[in-house]
DNA sequence: AAATACTTTGCAACTTAGTTGCACCAATAA
DNA sequence: TTATTGGTGCAACTAAGTTGCAAAGTATTT
């Protein structure tokens, strides 16, 4: 709803323009992560650039996080209000090769990996590919 | 050297054409994973399509593995002769945001993640972004 | 050896996602 | 009100990847 969307934007210090409210509203209703092309498709008429820049702003301000699922199109999904996208609070993502949906496994934290000496981690992307629960049952 | 390259191709059952030998030779000399555009640049004159299809064949036949490092260009690196690219034998990759190189951390296995019920893992991509050993020291 | 089938290669054309420059508009501060 | 700042929309572009198709090369059969 409108209220919680404005609250999210306020928390993350993003000016709540009409466009941004709309985009965030759509994103918040998604069951799966979506990409710019899919987002664009949800509008009867909207400019790709504006949506592109809205997503970019959202990512910078940590309203949403981006997911590189290996399909060639970056996906996006909402962050929790408390999320700061630090390496230690990141979760695993899942890409289903059958239904081609990308899911946030919000409950599964990315495990800590030991890096070789002098390597410094700033961010981690972990995507498991395979069959999602719905698709694995349909066999 | 030529010998080991032909051996690799033989092991993975790929017909050793001149083009494939050349590509594999270049790939085997790389310190970091490279993408199609970079591979193309290493040839004075070569057709992108052929290189593209060579890489595709190599990935299918597990001569090389692909790495989605989040830059928008898929990177490729050689697999061990014994590699079957099963989820349990995959390693972590590292992308340095400073030198922009993608490295195989071959010694660091991707940790096993517990998936929610009915999810089936076929493949995993884990990329850590940050500063590599060389770049972190140069500060 | 010649004919046939199959595979690989090269060219051109195309798709798609992402990105940039620039002008215009809206909100806000001076 | 005017100046400044930030957001939006359009058009044009880049870069990576991908496809169809024909030519060239390789292997197999007759
Ligand atoms: Mn997520
Ligand atoms: Mn690797
Ligand atoms: Zn699925
Ligand atoms: Zn580096």
């Amino acid at each position: 709803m409108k209220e919680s969307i404005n609250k999210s934007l306020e928390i993350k210090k993003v000016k709540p323009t009409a466009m941004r409210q709309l985009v965030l509203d759509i994103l918040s209703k998604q069951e799966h992560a979506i990409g710019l092309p899919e987002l664009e498709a949800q509008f009867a008429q909207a400019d790709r650039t504006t949506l592109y820049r809205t997503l970019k702003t959202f990512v910078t301000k940590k309203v949403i996080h981006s997911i590189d699922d290996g399909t060639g199109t970056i996906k996006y999904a909402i962050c929790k209000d408390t999320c700061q996208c630090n390496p230690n609070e990141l979760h695993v993502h899942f890409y289903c090769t059958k239904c081609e949906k990308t899911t946030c496994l919000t409950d599964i934290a990315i495990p800590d990996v030991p890096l070789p000496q002098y390597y410094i981690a700033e961010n981690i992307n972990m995507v498991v590919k395979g069959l999602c629960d719905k698709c694995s049952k349909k066999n």
Side-chain angles (χ1 to χ4, degrees), chain A:
Chain A
M1 58 166 63
K2 270 275 158 57
E3 274 321 299
S4 65
I5 281 167
N6 282 337
K7 203 175 149 196
S8 293
L9 292 175
E10 193 190 327
I11 289 168
K12 300 297 173 68
K13 292 179 179 145
V14 178
K15 211 190 284 180
T17 66
M19 194 75 244
R20 287 172 182 169
Q21 286 173 335
L22 264 156
V23 170
L24 190 53
D25 183 51
I26 288 175
L27 285 170
S28 66
K29 284 174 180 156
Q30 300 298 316
E31 195 181 345
H32 303 282
I34 61 167
L36 173 54
E38 282 162 277
L39 177 63
E40 203 185 345
Q42 305 229 9
F43 285 84
Q45 181 260 25
D47 179 52
R48 191 165 70 261
T49 314
T50 306
L51 297 175
Y52 164 72
R53 287 196 267 236
T54 302
L55 289 174
K56 220 173 165 184
T57 305
F58 281 1
V59 170
T60 310
K61 296 300 186 71
K62 289 162 185 168
V63 176
I64 61 176
H65 59 280
S66 68
I67 306 143
D68 190 330
D69 59 13
T71 58
T73 359
I74 314 268
K75 304 299 190 310
Y76 302 89
I78 300 227
C79 285
K80 288 178 194 161
D81 283 346
T82 56
C83 179
Q84 288 304 313
C85 293
N86 295 320
N88 62 337
E89 54 183 329
L90 300 171
H91 56 260
V92 175
H93 291 100
F94 192 91
Y95 175 75
C96 177
T97 50
K98 197 173 179 191
C99 67
E100 302 183 335
K101 298 288 182 197
T102 304
T103 313
C104 288
L105 301 179
T106 39
D107 292 337
I108 304 179
I110 293 183
D112 207 26
V113 282
L115 292 178
Q117 204 169 21
Y118 305 121
Y119 278 76
I120 299 167
E122 285 165 358
N123 200 356
I124 311 177
N125 187 42
M126 185 170 189
V127 177
V128 180
K129 280 189 206 185
L131 293 176
C132 75
D133 53 348
K134 281 168 197 156
C135 291
S136 73
K137 285 193 218 160
K138 281 186 204 143
N139 277 345

